[in-house]
Amino acid sequence: MTSALFEHTRHQELCPQCGSPLQIRQSKKGLFLGCSGYPNCDYLKPLQPYNASRILKQLDEICPECGKNLQLKTGNYGMFIGCSGYPDCRFVVHDEAEPAQESFPCPECKKGELVARRGRRGKSFYGCNRFPACKFTVSGKLYAVGCPQCGGSPVVLKKQTETHRVFVCLNKNCKHQFNREL
């Protein structure tokens, strides 16, 4: 028994475009083989087949466009319901549009209105519709309650208990906190 029981064998793949060895690299979508001659050679080879969406559950509902079953899937932007006939049928169930909400004047520029928006990670917030001229944003739900100190109208809910709510004025000069009973 002079040889080792387990010997390390090195398998090296060469780039089909330039002949340089391929190296394991990592991106946000996972591992891949990339040419060591980069940036002169831009050859890439995925280590796993890329699947944009993964099927979580087969649903009993029927697609209104093609008649095939719908599926619960997960993709780059979270879970969604789509047709099992993808890519021939691209039907996706979208959330129903929210009813029009009351508009509030922007407390910073006084020209725009605060509109509901959604951030990169899915969090909702309110921002001025005159962006990028006005960069005012506020997280939380807005209420049309007048501030007792300055009279400013949109206020944001800070805390809520069974008996009362605590609001904060959005006026930059005021920032008054006040209670309201339920």
Side-chain angles (χ1 to χ4, degrees), residues 15 17-18 22 32-35 37-45:
C15 174
Q17 289 180 356
C18 70
L22 295 178
F32 66 94
L33 288 175
C35 182
Y38 181 81
N40 298 329
C41 178
D42 60 355
Y43 177 77
L44 299 175
K45 179 181 175 185

Side-chain angles (χ1 to χ4, degrees), residues 35-77:
C35 182
S36 61
Y38 181 81
N40 298 329
C41 178
D42 60 355
Y43 177 77
L44 299 175
K45 179 181 175 185
L47 289 176
Q48 302 164 358
Y50 175 69
N51 192 1
S53 62
R54 206 172 80 230
I55 300 167
L56 298 176
K57 185 176 181 181
Q58 193 77 19
L59 303 175
D60 295 331
E61 285 82 18
I62 303 296
C63 174
E65 291 182 7
C66 71
K68 294 185 179 178
N69 283 0
L70 294 178
Q71 297 173 330
L72 179 64
K73 301 178 180 184
T74 182
N76 290 339
Y77 299 104

Side-chain angles (χ1 to χ4, degrees), residues 7-181:
E7 287 186 27
H8 177 70
T9 58
R10 184 174 178 157
H11 173 71
Q12 190 172 36
E13 258 185 88
L14 299 178
C15 174
Q17 289 180 356
C18 70
S20 299
L22 295 178
Q23 297 175 333
I24 294 179
R25 306 270 184 185
Q26 184 173 3
S27 72
K28 64 181 179 181
K29 301 214 187 239
L31 296 174
F32 66 94
L33 288 175
C35 182
S36 61
Y38 181 81
N40 298 329
C41 178
D42 60 355
Y43 177 77
L44 299 175
K45 179 181 175 185
L47 289 176
Q48 302 164 358
Y50 175 69
N51 192 1
S53 62
R54 206 172 80 230
I55 300 167
L56 298 176
K57 185 176 181 181
Q58 193 77 19
L59 303 175
D60 295 331
E61 285 82 18
I62 303 296
C63 174
E65 291 182 7
C66 71
K68 294 185 179 178
N69 283 0
L70 294 178
Q71 297 173 330
L72 179 64
K73 301 178 180 184
T74 182
N76 290 339
Y77 299 104
M79 290 194 313
F80 66 97
I81 297 175
C83 182
S84 62
Y86 179 83
D88 298 327
C89 178
R90 295 182 173 269
F91 177 77
V92 174
V93 176
H94 293 284
D95 291 337
E96 311 225 343
E98 294 180 11
Q101 296 179 346
E102 186 177 350
S103 62
F104 298 103
C106 178
E108 192 166 299
C109 70
K110 310 247 189 291
K111 295 177 185 172
E113 292 183 351
L114 297 179
V115 292
R117 303 204 182 242
R118 191 168 294 266
R120 267 187 270 179
R121 298 209 166 94
K123 270 190 154 178
S124 57
F125 66 96
Y126 286 88
C128 184
N129 64 353
R130 293 187 62 239
F131 180 83
C134 176
K135 296 185 178 179
F136 180 81
T137 60
V138 63
S139 60
K141 184 155 173 47
L142 296 180
Y143 290 89
V145 177
C147 174
Q149 193 163 352
C150 71
S153 177
V155 295
V156 67
L157 180 67
K158 183 176 181 182
K159 187 168 118 180
Q160 180 174 349
T161 64
E162 292 179 12
T163 58
H164 70 281
R165 293 178 176 169
V166 178
F167 294 103
V168 178
C169 180
L170 289 180
N171 187 349
K172 193 188 279 187
N173 298 329
C174 181
K175 295 285 185 189
H176 178 66
Q177 289 188 16
F178 59 96
N179 295 333
R180 287 282 164 102
E181 301 219 358

